[in-house]
Every structure is written in C-alpha cells, then in structure tokens.
Amino acid sequence: MGDAAMSPKLTGEILRQLRQAMRNCKYFSEPIQAYIIPSGDAHQSEYIAPCDCRREYISGFNGSAGTAIVTEQHAAMWTDGRYFLQANHCLCNETPSQEDWLISVLPENSKVGVDPWIIAADQWKNMSKALISAGHCLVAVQHNLIDVVWPDRPERPSTQLRTLGLEYTGTSWQDKVTMLRAKMTERKIGWFVATALDEIAWLFNLRGADIEYNPVFFAYAIVGMNTIRLFVDLKRLSHPVLRDHLQLDAPIKPELSIQTFPYESVYTELQAICAALGPKDKVWICDKASCALTQVIPKAHRTPIPYTPLCLAKAVKNATEIQGMKMAHIKDAVALCELFAWLEKEIPKSTVTEISAADKAEELRSQQKDFVGLSFPTISSVGPNGAIIHYRPLPETNRTLTLNEVYLIDSGAQYVDGTTDVTRTVHFGTPTAFEKECFTYVLKGHIAVSAAVFPNGTKGHLLDSFARAALWESGLDYLHGTGHGVGCFLNVHEGPCGISYKTFADEPLEAGMIVSDEPGYYEDGSFGIRLENVVLVIPTKPKYNYRNRGSLTFEPLTLVPIQVKMMNTELLTKKERDWVNDYHRKCREVVGAELERQGRKEALEWLIRETQPIV
Amino acid sequence: MGDAAMSPKLTGEILRQLRQAMRNCKYFSEPIQAYIIPSGDAHQSEYIAPCDCRREYISGFNGSAGTAIVTEQHAAMWTDGRYFLQANHCLCNETPSQEDWLISVLPENSKVGVDPWIIAADQWKNMSKALISAGHCLVAVQHNLIDVVWPDRPERPSTQLRTLGLEYTGTSWQDKVTMLRAKMTERKIGWFVATALDEIAWLFNLRGADIEYNPVFFAYAIVGMNTIRLFVDLKRLSHPVLRDHLQLDAPIKPELSIQTFPYESVYTELQAICAALGPKDKVWICDKASCALTQVIPKAHRTPIPYTPLCLAKAVKNATEIQGMKMAHIKDAVALCELFAWLEKEIPKSTVTEISAADKAEELRSQQKDFVGLSFPTISSVGPNGAIIHYRPLPETNRTLTLNEVYLIDSGAQYVDGTTDVTRTVHFGTPTAFEKECFTYVLKGHIAVSAAVFPNGTKGHLLDSFARAALWESGLDYLHGTGHGVGCFLNVHEGPCGISYKTFADEPLEAGMIVSDEPGYYEDGSFGIRLENVVLVIPTKPKYNYRNRGSLTFEPLTLVPIQVKMMNTELLTKKERDWVNDYHRKCREVVGAELERQGRKEALEWLIRETQPIV
C-alpha cells in the first residue's frame, strides 16, 4: 500500500504527469481528486492486449488481476488472493476495500474519476454507492488519463481472423444465432448485446490472435430478432474465405444477414437501436459489461444478466467439441511425456532452468498438429518458487532444476481442436517424507473431486471441500479455488461453472461442461504442489436414481502420468490406488498409441515406466 | 395452488369476508386487489403464538413456514422445501415465485396490501420492487385484515418470566449490554434495536413461555450508549425477583438502568429517538426486522445488518452454557434410553402408536431435572410417514409401531440448563437390506461431518457435501440442509451458523458454536431415515497448522446409541467403525453413569446391549 507499492524506475515521473492530468480541466469540468485504474479492457477480458495494460504501465505490477488508485497524495494497489505471496513482497498486509481506502484518504466532497469503458457496470454501481454515501462522487472520465501520459502506447491489435468449420465447432454460427434468438423469445427479449470477446468468437465460429494466449479478436455484436450487427475493424473482413464464412455478400436468409460496422461505432449504433425501442422492448446485456455500454441502454429497457445465453451455451460442449478437446489433450500429453523424459536426462547436467524447461515444453507442443500457441504463460517453478501460486519465471528469479527440489509445471496450449491446461509436480531425485505426504493429500483431494458422483443440478462450489478434506484433516489447505471452466480453442478460464469455495453464483454442472480439477499445497519458502487435470462432466448411472434426477461424474481429458515417486501410497485407500492405476492404464493405452504412431520411442519408454501399477 | 389449496371447511366464508375487507375503505384510502398473509409474527419468529397464526387461520395449512396470498379471484399458498411432500398432497407442482404469480393474475395498476409488522424489511423491498416494475404497488395496511375477519382471535400471551442466574448463563445481562456497546462503539453505532425474541431473552437472561417450544417472551429492546429501553407487557415486571434481576428499582450504574415501556409503545418511542438523532448518528437493526419498525428509522440513519451482534454473541456458547448443554443432553439421553427399552417391550403388543410413543418420550423427559417442555413438536413416524420430512403425527395419520417398519423419532426438550434435539431411526424387527444400506449411507454422512477437521474461519455450508457424498455415490440424496444452530435453553433453530447447501450467508463456524448434524434419506411411500446429533464446535490440533489458522472439529453433545441393527457394517470403513465404537463407548460411560445414579436398570441394560462394539 502507498507509493512504495510502485515500481520505482517507472512511476515517479508518470505519477506526476497523471496527477497533472487529474487537475487538467481539458478532460472534465472540474479536477478530480482520485483516479481509478482497473486492470481490464472494454470487454472485461482476463488477459489483455498490450494497449490495454494501463494498470501495469502505471504501477509496474504485472499480475493479471488488480486495480490501482491514484490520489493527489497517495497511490495504492489491490490484487486478488492468487497473488497473495507475490504481492506480499511489495504491498503491506492489511487490505481495506478500495472504497474504504478511498474514503479514508479523500478530502471532503471529492470527485473520483474512472474510465467507464474499463469498469464493469456492477463494479461502478457498488463503488458509486459507497462514495456517494460518504459524500464523494464517482465521475466517468471519457478520455482515459493513462493514455494521456503514455506516449508510446501500442496500437490495438487487428490480427488475421481464422474461420472454424463444422468439423471443429459442430454447430454453425447460423444455428447458434437461431438458438440465441430462441432463448430471447422465451424470455421476451428483443435485443442482445455481446461484449465478451470469447462469446463473440464462439458465436461466429471465428478466432483471432489479438490477445496473447486467448484466440479472440476485438469486436462487439448486437443481435436482434431480425438483424445481426458485428462491430470489428472492417479491414479484417476483406478476405474471401471470411466473407464466405459470414455470408457477407450473399446471405441465405435476411434474418441471418450480418451487418458489419467499425469496432468503435458500437456506442452510437446501440444508441440508435435504443432510440427506436418500443415501450416494452428489453435489451439483454451482461452485468459485467462495461459501464459505458450498459448505460447507453435506458434503465427501463435494460435487463442485466449474470451469465449470457452465449456463455451458458458455450460452456456445454457438443460432441464435436468434446472429440476435439480429447484429441488436443492426447497431443498435449505426447509433448509432456517427451518433456519429462528429456528433463530426466538433462537435469543431472544442471543446464535446465525454469525458463529453458518452459521453452522446451513450448517447443515440444509446437511440434504437434494444429498447435496455435500457449493457452497461458507457463508456470515453471523450482523449490520455493513453486509456493508462489501464479509464479512466472523471470530472468531475475530463474532457478535451475536439480535432483534436490520439487518441480511444478502448470502449462497448456491452444490447438485448433481444443485448449489444454495441465499441472504436474515432480521430483527428479528423492522427495522428502513431508513433500510426499503433502503431495499425497493433494492427490487424494484431486481424486475425491474427479471420482465424485453427484446429482444433476449440483453447483460446482459444492464439490470444493472434497478437494480439501484430506489436507484439512492434517491442518493444511490451499488459498485458491479448485477448478475453472475451460474453453474449446478459446479462453483457458471461462464461466459460468467452476469449483470454488468463493462463489455461490456459479451455474450448475451439466454433462458436456469442462472444468479443471487442481488442488494444491504451498509451503512458503520451500515448495509448491499442484495436480491439475482438465475433466469432462459426464452422466453416470449409480445403483439408484433418486427422484429421477440422474447423476454426473467427471472423465479426465488430461492423460499425463502422475509421478508415483511423489506418492506415499500407504496413505492411499484401495479405492484411490485403483483410481491411480485405472488412470495410468488409460494414459498408457491412449497416449502410448499416439507416441507409438509418432515414433517417439524415448517418451513411450518413459510413459510405460511411469504408469506401472501401484500396490 | 389456487383455492383447492385451502382447507374447505374453514376458508369459504372467511375468504368471502377477507375479500370484503379488501374492498372496505375503512382500512385504506383505496381498495386493494390482493392481500399477502406471511406466516410470521412481528419478530419474524419461526414458531409463533396462536394469536399470530393468521396464515394458518386463513389457509388451514399448519406448516411452520409459508405465505398465503388472496386476490379478488384467486387464493394461493407457498411453502418451503421441507414441506415438499406434505404440500404435494394439496398444492400443484409448478411453483412460480410469489411476485411472478401475483403479476400473472393481477389486473393492471393493482394495489397489493400487507401488514408491515409481519413482513420483513428485506422481503418488503424485493416484493415492492418486483410489483412496481410490473406497474403495481405494495401498500402497508396498518390494520391487519385477518384480525378483522377472525372474531375469536386469541390474546397475545403474557406468561410469567423466569430469571436465569450466572450458574446458567455464565454472563450477566449487564456484561452482555457492555459487550454490545463495545461492538457499537467499534462500528460507530449509537443505537441498537433488538426485535428477535430469542436475542432479547438472551440479552436480559430472562425466559418466558409465550410461544410453544420456545422459551421467549414478547418484547422489544432499544439499547443506546447510555440507556436501555425494554418494551414488554409491564404487568410481567411486578414480581420482586424480576425487579431485582433487572435492577429496576435500584440500578447500580445509570448507564445500566433499564427503562421499561409497554410492548406496543416501541413504535412511538423509536420515533422519538430518531427525531433526536444527530446528523451522523447510526441505528443498527436486523435486515430481517419488520418493515414497520425498520421504516421508522430514517434511511440516512439506518444501518441494516444480516446478523446482529447479539445473534453472533449468543451463537458462541461460554463455558457455563456448554456445561449446561452437556448436562441437558445427558438427561435427554437417559429419557431416550428408557423410551427405546420401553418400546422394545411394548411394540410386540401392538399397542404403541406414533402419538403414544411421542407422549411416552415427553413423559420420560419430564421426569428429568429442570425439564421445562419440548423444544419442538415431536416427529414420531412409522414406515411411509417417516418419508414426510416434517411430519407430525395426527389422529388421522397415526400409525402403530410394529416389528415390520422403520421408526423415526426426531424430538427434543427445553431444560433450564439447555436445549436438545435428537433423531434416531430404528427397527424393532428385521430391517430390509435396502433400509440398512440407506441407513449406512446416512451414517457415513453423519460421521463425515461429525469427524471433519476444517480450518478456523470455515463456513458451515462448506461441510454440507460431506454429509451427502456416500448417498450421492449411490444416486441418493435428501432435500433438506444438514444442520442448524441450536440455542442454549432457547430456540432449537438459531442463526447465524448452520450446515446447508442453500446459503452462502452463514457466518463462519467458531469454537463454542453448537449445531445439529442430521443427514437423512427418504424413500417416498416407504420409510424415512435421519440420524441427528447436536454437536459442539471445538478446537483441534492436527499434525500441522497451516498459516497458524488453527483447526476445528465437532464433539457430539447428543449421547444416544445409534442402532447397530440398522447398519450394514461391511459398507463402513475402519475409521467409521472406530468412530461408532468410540461414540458408543462414550454413551455407555457418560449416560450409563447417570442411568446408574438414577437407578434406571432396564434402560441401563438396554444401553449396554446397544453399545457393544462392532467389528
């Protein structure tokens, strides 16, 4: 907290300029006493393009979540729990809410500015309410003040768009629009405004590369009962393949004809639509959409929703998507088997570092068919670095892999047929009894979730404690959720389902949803353990069927061996040992066949050795 | 739903009269088109006095939760999930929300009336918002319209008050007031309005008998930093013991002097207090308090809270209260051991019914020291009646206990030293394999919660799935929560903690809190199983202590054998069998000693037989 939180090399001069801008009436009628810099972009993306890294620019903090606030006297930053340890290095421990902090430092009747495009409507509402009740007010500053003091701000990316055919998507964009309209009809909604980039990419069966790790592109879409408006840099739509995919030149049906507009014109176009609304017309928009766009829709017509119909439909993967995800995970497992076989050979030479291991993993993945890129920055961490939950190796923290320390690698890739995300924790020498004990508790938690049977309609948060019970019993825990939704050649984190103690607002799990199962344990200053598979929700038929509700369980899509050396098998029950053996048998069968096909002998030998049954 | 939901004998004429009152401008400026009849009283009590049973009077439905709504054309009733099966007998299956139903049946621009004293402030807010958005409005009708059509409505009870000394409470009311004021100072709150009857009874170390099963009395209290106002039928305060307890005639310190006022004057007195508030003065009131009293406090001064400081303090029992609860549970176990020994003898004669068994349980409890009454109506249910979760035997449903059907008894008592609540499910002949299997899953769930170790700060809802895992694995479940807070010689259901999948708003479990652990399984039309202990949250020291958070677990206060005959011990793990044996050893030691002391030989023999170790 305080100026000390800022990276000293960057922010002294920039802060001075920002404070000058806060007093400069060119941007508003009266000076503002504080300026909020959220970490997001206008689409509330989790990962953002360089041009949108304003909070990082002003604060020097590169975590993916966090808000900076600058007042005339102070500057402060908030991060989420995932960065607890990392932030501890530079921030103080007591954390008041942003509202409380602002109220404690602001002079009376202050004006607090924020860019309405990068604050979500629900956040604006809460912040505004708190400030007003303390005699201040929240002001929408249309001109972003960081952009004012950021001379070499990068341009907004406009990468080439990729069309996805039915062999990858299973459903045409026309059918997706029709399904969306059916939902709108059901709820008597006339218009739907899509602002989340992954929803727009999913809807139109298009992918881009505007944001690293996320195959999305900057766009908005507005769907009415008879019209479809797509807002995107129009230069991107010139290629014939794309024009054909979107049927821009010869739409088959008028109601499936897409009108295209420049990205920036969404505001004025939505204004025009709203001006023509009938008295009972309703417009759907996500409550996490930007304040700016949300407020264009008059309150009487606005129907904010926590999850859009696209978000809900996208989460339930169809048979084609599931098949693609399975293929992607097999290829990904091939690359990881090769990586671990290679690491075993190389580590004794003391030449492998966290960074070079991550690079090797990327190189091996890139050899696989339809590889597009990584799905998030690889967490490659040795010993104490493993205890930093969202660690990313940097030259100044880079450690060498040895025979003496635990190695944790959390990595994943985008393939045209699917997205992967897998964490394995391994030891190349002899783990300590404590390391093995903790690993085994984490494994027990992982299995408890993966093998859980639960009724249809169960929300993921009800499964979170299953992942912790073994750790809790020994007085241990981990300070992050247990799982997140995973997109299909889309964002590695997606809603509306997940497995976490932190939310009650998740949607029930349904067959076809895909989530991660990733309990962990982190011993500060010593080591980190995490064990992550991506798992598919599938129907299952237990002995009984209470009230005909039906039951669900999970099928692991990730097929990478779990290191037996790290297990204290005496702590495992028979059922848990059987699970491990079944899982390893499947890894050997499915991934072994692919390694064989690809002629990757050493990795195949490694796989066979690592999947010996345990007793 | 619809008029069919009403008990035909009662409601035809009463409904006609109520609809007349809805048109009678004596009660409001314009007629109302609908009238809402919530089930509660002015204190949002769960159990209510006969004079407050307005919803039951108008609808004939005697469930403890539920709302009736009467319009010019329709009448409808809502119940909570616990009455699912019971309500199914008379209500239709599809259940729209009250708001949606009203909006679907009301003519345009309707006025919907409700008594503002018996609707909670938060419910009023939600209902009002929904009605306004559909073009209707919610109107506070000061004169309760059911009272208008209820000629022989009983008087409000005014039973004798009982004072509790330090030997029962552990903390004087003066110290409780001082602690409350410390919380108020901490949050800069000038006034606190207490409306929940159990909170007022707890604060003043007084008990009454105004509401059956709940040792409370009708009162309000307003605590300022220097004043204490108690609103209660003043006749009740004439006894010297009471005047002395409350120091009414000779207060030691002026700020601990209690001013007494008639019960009804709370409204005008609160108005007077609010009229004299300074611009920054804040008044605490529970957000579940009545709309009428809440709205007396001007919005700028009102600080609604989900749980009051009294509710939170009351939930954490002190050493004296814990000791009292333990004593009460031992006495209660004595009575139940006697009951089961007696049932074993009597059932073969076919003379015992659900009602007579319940009466016998009450008789046996009443022989124990400091017995005051039951803590809720005994659920005594045989065979298919056991599947009705909140069944209460009535002459027309009364079944005979036999050697062929499962018997479920959920019962409890108020003793001066504590409150009990225990459920046992037993078979006096030979249970079927399916009954045993289901019982064993329920037992596994009960043990999973009772033996759970979890970090300090964990909310009870995170433990709910532990109770279900074994049932889920076989495709079974139960449609109620797993546990509720239990008062100490107070309400058998109390907040703010519990164990349920239904809420995220519970407060974290703390050492000293007391909750029930009561998973179940209900096979409609056949049998019901529930296994309930009251358990105390206690600190525990597992092997490790992650981030020095400390760990908690439960200690059973209920010490009544769990029928081994109903268990399929092959389905139990070693750990679960050990738990059963440890539990039974404790029952035998603790309750055995008391049975011995009371010279209750037959029950002692029964206890010894029923607590043989299992292998």
Side-chain angles (χ1 to χ4, degrees), chain B residues 164-417:
Chain B
L164 289 183
L166 278 179
E167 68 279 21
Y168 290 111
T169 64
T171 309
S172 68
W173 66 259
Q174 291 89 341
D175 285 348
K176 289 179 180 178
V177 168
T178 304
M179 287 188 303
L180 168 62
R181 285 180 176 151
K183 290 276 172 211
M184 290 163 65
T185 305
E186 197 184 305
R187 299 298 179 94
K188 298 186 182 139
I189 298 289
W191 296 90
F192 169 68
V193 182
T195 65
L197 300 185
D198 60 340
E199 295 182 15
I200 297 165
W202 178 85
L203 178 63
F204 293 108
N205 291 336
L206 291 176
R207 297 294 186 271
D210 290 3
I211 295 181
E212 209 181 353
Y213 312 114
N214 293 231
V216 296
F217 55 96
F218 286 101
Y220 292 98
I222 303 179
V223 178
M225 292 313 292
N226 302 300
T227 59
I228 306 167
R229 288 173 175 79
L230 175 62
F231 302 84
V232 66
D233 178 1
L234 294 177
K235 288 196 302 293
R236 311 174 87 160
L237 301 179
S238 52
H239 198 284
V241 171
L242 216 64
R243 301 194 68 80
D244 187 49
H245 174 85
L246 294 175
Q247 300 188 323
L248 292 182
D249 303 310
I252 293 170
K253 296 179 185 173
E255 71 272 21
L256 289 172
S257 140
I258 298 176
Q259 298 168 265
T260 60
F261 298 83
Y263 175 69
E264 294 75 16
S265 64
V266 63
Y267 190 88
T268 50
E269 193 61 25
L270 183 57
Q271 270 184 326
I273 289 170
C274 289
L277 289 176
K280 292 203 163 184
D281 287 347
K282 296 280 177 193
V283 182
W284 252 346
I285 189 163
C286 183
D287 61 11
K288 282 166 274 303
S290 73
C291 173
L293 210 54
T294 303
Q295 293 191 348
V296 171
I297 310 164
K299 220 171 166 182
H301 298 289
R302 197 192 305 156
T303 305
I305 37 177
Y307 299 112
T308 75
L310 298 187
C311 174
L312 291 161
K314 175 167 62 62
V316 180
K317 274 71 178 173
N318 62 36
T320 308
E321 291 170 318
I322 289 169
Q323 189 53 27
M325 285 293 272
K326 286 185 176 175
M327 290 301 122
H329 279 83
I330 293 168
K331 293 183 286 187
D332 211 55
V334 164
L336 278 188
C337 289
E338 286 201 280
L339 174 73
F340 287 120
W342 179 83
L343 286 174
E344 274 187 12
K345 269 195 332 205
E346 298 297 318
I347 285 170
K349 305 177 193 162
S350 295
T351 53
V352 188
T353 66
E354 292 168 344
I355 293 177
S356 71
D359 290 346
K360 185 71 181 178
E362 182 166 1
E363 180 201 323
L364 293 166
R365 282 187 162 110
S366 72
Q367 295 167 7
Q368 294 298 315
K369 185 165 168 267
D370 284 342
F371 172 84
V372 176
L374 298 186
S375 57
F376 59 97
T378 298
I379 297 170
S380 169
S381 55
V382 169
N385 287 342
I388 301 164
I389 296 177
H390 281 247
Y391 177 76
R392 180 180 178 171
L394 298 169
E396 59 270 31
T397 62
N398 196 18
R399 289 174 77 92
T400 300
L401 278 69
T402 71
L403 299 179
N404 306 316
E405 288 184 307
V406 172
Y407 177 59
L408 182 158
I409 178 163
D410 183 351
S411 60
Q414 298 288 359
Y415 303 91
V416 181
D417 42 6

Side-chain angles (χ1 to χ4, degrees), chain A residues 343-592:
Chain A
L343 284 174
E344 274 187 12
K345 269 193 335 203
E346 297 298 317
I347 285 170
K349 303 176 193 163
S350 294
T351 52
V352 186
T353 66
E354 293 168 343
I355 293 177
S356 72
D359 290 346
K360 185 70 182 181
E362 181 167 1
E363 180 201 321
L364 292 166
R365 282 186 162 109
S366 72
Q367 295 167 8
Q368 294 298 316
K369 186 165 168 267
D370 283 341
F371 172 85
V372 175
L374 298 188
S375 57
F376 59 97
T378 299
I379 297 172
S380 169
S381 55
V382 169
N385 286 342
I388 301 164
I389 296 176
H390 281 249
Y391 177 76
R392 178 179 178 172
L394 297 171
E396 59 270 29
T397 62
N398 196 18
R399 289 175 76 93
T400 300
L401 277 69
T402 71
L403 300 179
N404 306 315
E405 289 184 307
V406 171
Y407 177 60
L408 183 159
I409 179 165
D410 183 352
S411 61
Q414 298 287 359
Y415 303 90
V416 181
D417 42 5
T419 302
T420 67
D421 181 1
V422 46
T423 310
R424 287 295 178 268
T425 305
V426 295
H427 203 293
F428 296 98
T430 308
T432 67
F434 182 56
E435 286 162 351
K436 286 171 69 173
E437 185 185 356
C438 295
F439 183 93
T440 308
Y441 296 148
V442 172
L443 174 62
K444 287 167 91 78
H446 179 91
I447 295 171
V449 170
S450 195
V453 174
F454 48 92
N456 254 318
T458 301
K459 291 180 166 196
H461 74 261
L462 290 170
L463 308 180
D464 184 77
S465 300
F466 290 160
R468 298 176 200 274
L471 287 161
W472 282 356
E473 205 175 327
S474 292
L476 306 178
D477 196 8
Y478 54 95
L479 301 182
H480 59 74
T482 300
H484 53 81
V486 178
C488 182
F489 187 26
L490 262 179
N491 295 356
V492 76
H493 295 161
E494 68 169 28
C497 57
I499 302 175
S500 177
Y501 63 97
K502 282 183 232 164
T503 178
F504 214 57
D506 51 333
E507 287 289 313
L509 293 169
E510 271 182 60
M513 285 181 168
I514 292 178
V515 296
S516 70
D517 170 13
E518 47 179 318
Y521 176 71
Y522 309 92
E523 181 76 11
D524 291 350
S526 186
F527 62 85
I529 289 164
R530 188 162 59 252
L531 192 45
E532 176 187 26
N533 280 354
V534 169
V535 295
L536 170 70
V537 182
I538 56 167
T540 184
K541 284 196 186 301
K543 199 165 169 189
Y544 305 111
N545 187 9
Y546 180 64
R547 294 197 181 226
N548 282 314
R549 284 194 297 174
S551 291
L552 300 172
T553 188
F554 297 110
E555 174 188 332
L557 298 182
T558 306
L559 293 173
V560 178
I562 298 164
Q563 197 180 38
V564 171
K565 189 202 280 181
M566 283 292 287
M567 300 175 196
N568 179 342
T569 51
E570 284 174 26
L571 296 176
L572 296 176
T573 63
K574 163 111 184 22
K575 230 163 133 180
E576 288 162 345
R577 287 194 301 272
D578 288 349
W579 186 94
V580 169
N581 289 335
D582 285 347
Y583 180 71
H584 278 162
R585 191 179 314 119
K586 192 168 175 196
C587 290
R588 192 191 280 200
E589 279 172 22
V590 177
V591 180

Side-chain angles (χ1 to χ4, degrees), chain B residues 423-439:
Chain B
T423 310
R424 288 295 179 269
T425 305
V426 294
H427 202 293
F428 297 97
T430 307
T432 67
F434 182 55
E435 286 162 351
K436 287 172 69 173
E437 183 185 357
C438 295
F439 182 93

